Amino acid sequence: MNFQHVRKVRRAGAVALLASSLVFSVAACGGDDKGEDKAPSVSSDTGKGRGKQDAAGDPLPDRSKTLVTLKNDAGVEMIVYSAKRDSGGFLTVSGDFKNSGGESFVPPVQWSGQEEAVVDAGPSLAAMTLVDSVGKKRYYVLRDTDNRPLTTSNYELTIGAGKSLNFFAQFPSPPSTTTKVDLQFPGFPNATIEISG
């Protein structure tokens, strides 16, 4: 066997290994993409959004029920519509940030959290946490295999006057016996929200 033949065999083996690894990675990651790399649309549409998608293809929150409405010092409302258990052991919180003021609002860097690992993900809601006071546990936003937070990210740097930013954040699901958790997010008061599903 000559060296050229050995090199060809090694290359072919490496290509086959790489191809099978990529197929496995796609299969392992498929079906759960929440579009965290896409910038959600910022719009003035705060009507019922059941079953619809925003411009980025992310599902809009079901606005038929409001769990809680919180307000920060700048007059921006954080409206939480659902905290729903998903199949696979996840809890997804979804809602809108609504700027009811007369000036544009610049989301603070604190919304992205203080972890150095998620800095490269750009603006996100990685600082959001849930607290199960009965189980005495705190839940943080989940990360994907590239350490990107599974939450709305790379959104516009401002929310214009009268505009809204829809959001989602995924957490590990608390035990089924836990029906309520405390939502904590920088700049907004803490609030208790009810879990469905």
Side-chain angles (χ1 to χ4, degrees):
M1 211 188 266
N2 64 26
F3 287 111
Q4 275 188 323
H5 182 68
V6 170
R7 274 190 286 220
K8 285 180 183 178
V9 170
R10 284 184 181 168
R11 280 187 197 144
V15 168
L17 179 62
L18 180 60
S20 62
S21 297
L22 288 173
V23 169
F24 178 74
S25 297
V26 169
C29 296
D32 238 18
D33 183 18
K34 294 289 185 181
E36 63 270 6
D37 290 331
K38 302 173 186 173
S41 65
V42 178
S43 71
S44 57
D45 175 24
T46 55
K48 307 294 186 224
R50 179 180 285 175
K52 297 183 180 178
Q53 294 182 335
D54 65 14
D58 294 328
L60 290 170
D62 178 1
R63 296 179 172 100
S64 61
K65 180 182 176 185
T66 300
L67 296 182
V68 69
T69 300
L70 309 169
K71 202 167 191 175
N72 69 8
D73 293 338
V76 173
E77 293 177 330
M78 180 181 184
I79 307 164
V80 179
Y81 299 111
S82 68
K84 187 176 179 182
R85 283 188 174 92
D86 300 331
S87 59
F90 305 118
L91 175 69
T92 303
V93 176
S94 61
D96 287 319
F97 290 105
K98 182 179 178 184
N99 182 2
S100 303
E103 297 180 7
S104 291
F105 172 74
V106 178
V109 294
Q110 288 84 358
W111 284 16
S112 299
Q114 298 179 352
E115 294 179 59
E116 290 181 17
V118 297
V119 170
D120 291 339
S124 73
L125 308 180
M128 192 179 296
T129 59
L130 300 177
V131 176
D132 176 2
S133 55
V134 175
K136 298 182 179 176
K137 288 187 177 179
R138 180 182 301 271
Y139 296 91
Y140 295 89
V141 172
L142 290 167
R143 309 289 188 259
D144 69 9
T145 54
D146 293 323
N147 229 7
R148 293 176 300 213
L150 295 180
T151 180
T152 301
S153 59
N154 291 324
Y155 46 77
E156 297 289 329
L157 296 180
T158 61
I159 303 174
K163 303 285 185 176
S164 296
L165 167 67
N166 61 292
F167 73 87
F168 79 93
Q170 270 195 333
F171 301 87
S173 182
S176 57
T177 53
T178 300
T179 58
K180 294 181 179 180
V181 288
D182 293 329
L183 173 69
Q184 298 180 344
F185 192 61
F188 292 89
N190 296 346
T192 301
I193 57 175
E194 191 172 346
I195 299 173
S196 64

